[in-house]
Structures are given as C-alpha cells and as structure tokens.
Amino acid sequence: MFYTYILRSESSAKHYYGHTQDLEERLLRHNENRERATKSRGPWKSIYFEEFSTRSEAMKREKFFKTYAGWKWLKEQSII
C-alpha cells in the first residue's frame, strides 16, 4: 500500500505534504531530521493520511493537496 500524508510542525504550525509506503518510518525520519525538506522544523505530528493501491495515485493526491483547491478541501474538512 501507498499513503499520502500531512504532517504539522508543532514548533512552527507549518504543514508538510508527502507520500510513502511506510508511514511510521517516514514520520520517524522527519522527526529525526533525516529529511532535508523538514530538517530543524520539527517535531512533526501526523494529522491526516489516505491509503492507495499504487504510488501514482498517492502522488496525484499529494499534488492535489498542494494546490489551492486541495488546501480549500482540507480546510472544509477541518483537517488543517
């Protein structure tokens, strides 16, 4: 399975959108500053994820979340 996920920085309240096959390992990597994109902005908390059968589906959903329409949908669902 593949996942699209959203993290929230507990120090800066910023959000990070990504996709992975292993949610637990990915969150651990973010919180251990092993990811350049989120380094030194943690700690991170997982606030939302969706499951997909293919990587391409997960990537498409991640791209959607990064658009204005995706942001608006997340706000309407009270996710962010």
Side-chain angles (χ1 to χ4, degrees):
M1 297 307 295
F2 295 89
Y3 303 89
T4 298
Y5 63 93
I6 302 172
L7 304 179
R8 183 176 188 275
S9 169
E10 294 182 343
S11 62
S12 67
K14 299 284 184 181
H15 293 96
Y16 178 82
Y17 308 90
H19 69 278
T20 186
Q21 273 190 285
D22 187 340
L23 281 173
E24 289 182 28
E25 173 64 23
R26 192 69 169 143
L27 181 59
L28 182 65
R29 290 181 61 86
H30 284 291
N31 280 319
E32 290 180 346
N33 293 322
R34 292 191 285 155
E35 297 299 329
R36 187 181 336 173
T38 58
K39 194 172 185 174
S40 303
R41 292 191 290 148
W44 294 92
K45 180 180 177 184
S46 177
I47 62 169
Y48 183 74
F49 71 90
E50 293 179 356
E51 190 174 295
F52 299 94
S53 57
T54 67
R55 178 175 303 235
S56 64
E57 290 174 307
M59 290 173 70
K60 286 177 187 175
R61 191 64 167 168
E62 176 188 348
K63 286 183 180 185
F64 170 72
F65 287 150
K66 292 178 177 180
T67 66
Y68 176 74
W71 175 85
K72 189 175 174 183
W73 184 87
L74 291 166
K75 288 293 263 187
E76 289 170 356
Q77 304 302 310
S78 300
I79 296 168
I80 60 170

